Amino acid sequence: MSNLWQRLLRATALVFGLAVGVGVTVFAYSNTASVDVSWANLHFNGVPLWTVAVVPLAVALAVGAVYHWVNNLHHFTEHMRHRRRVKELEAELASLKSHLDTALAMPDHAEIEDKTRLEADDLFEEPPAPPASEPEAQPEPVLAANGDDKANKKSRKRPAVLSETEPVAVPDLETKPEPPAEN
């Protein structure tokens, strides 16, 4: 939640709390008569009427606030435990990467990042300007019509290249191919 919304919510809660406080004060001064409160074996005589409404409300708010604080404390401790575990796992991952790099004789990740950063910087540099003394050679215009000089055009097919490790299929001259089955 953004900081502005949090400020608005806190200001609204403050105004609401002040309004409730004013209401309770007016209620208390308006209801000054005394009453007798009895519940099972518990008896209170001469209790002001406003306490009958305000005290249970205040006790419920206090219990709710304590429950909320304990709940937030639990979530905070869980968050810190998970954060600590994530840091442990990140450290373990970094050590495993370094061990793997040494086992495979690979350069460190920092060296690779520096090298790629340098290569990326080279991409954005402007190429050096050609010397002014040499005139640039202009390509000759091609004046060929459709179908002219087909022999001079390059083939678009790629040449087949076999690697030295790739097995080559050799036809077996002793076996005869089977005739196709008739349906």
Side-chain angles (χ1 to χ4, degrees), residues 94-150:
S95 69
L96 286 174
K97 279 183 179 179
S98 66
H99 288 305
L100 184 63
D101 288 344
T102 56
L104 297 175
M106 299 286 287
D108 288 339
H109 291 283
E111 293 175 11
I112 293 173
E113 290 174 2
D114 291 340
K115 186 176 180 182
T116 55
R117 190 176 304 118
L118 289 174
E119 289 173 357
D121 290 343
D122 290 343
L123 289 176
F124 293 110
E125 289 180 0
E126 293 183 17
S133 62
E134 297 177 18
E136 292 185 23
Q138 296 292 329
E140 294 182 16
V142 178
L143 301 173
N146 283 340
D148 291 346
D149 294 330
K150 285 189 179 181

Side-chain angles (χ1 to χ4, degrees), residues 74-89:
H74 169 72
H75 285 295
F76 178 73
T77 55
E78 286 294 310
H79 166 73
M80 293 306 288
R81 188 174 64 86
H82 287 297
R83 183 176 171 190
R84 185 173 41 249
R85 182 69 179 137
V86 165
K87 287 189 182 235
E88 290 172 0
L89 290 173

Side-chain angles (χ1 to χ4, degrees), residues 22-86:
V22 168
V24 167
T25 304
V26 169
F27 181 77
Y29 280 111
S30 300
N31 297 301
T32 56
S34 61
V35 293
D36 295 334
V37 178
S38 299
W39 186 65
N41 291 336
L42 203 57
H43 301 287
F44 297 106
N45 297 328
V47 176
L49 183 59
W50 65 271
T51 59
V52 175
V54 172
V55 169
L57 182 63
V59 168
L61 287 174
V63 168
V66 168
Y67 176 77
H68 183 69
W69 291 334
V70 170
N71 193 26
N72 278 348
L73 182 64
H74 169 72
H75 285 295
F76 178 73
T77 55
E78 286 294 310
H79 166 73
M80 293 306 288
R81 188 174 64 86
H82 287 297
R83 183 176 171 190
R84 185 173 41 249
R85 182 69 179 137
V86 165

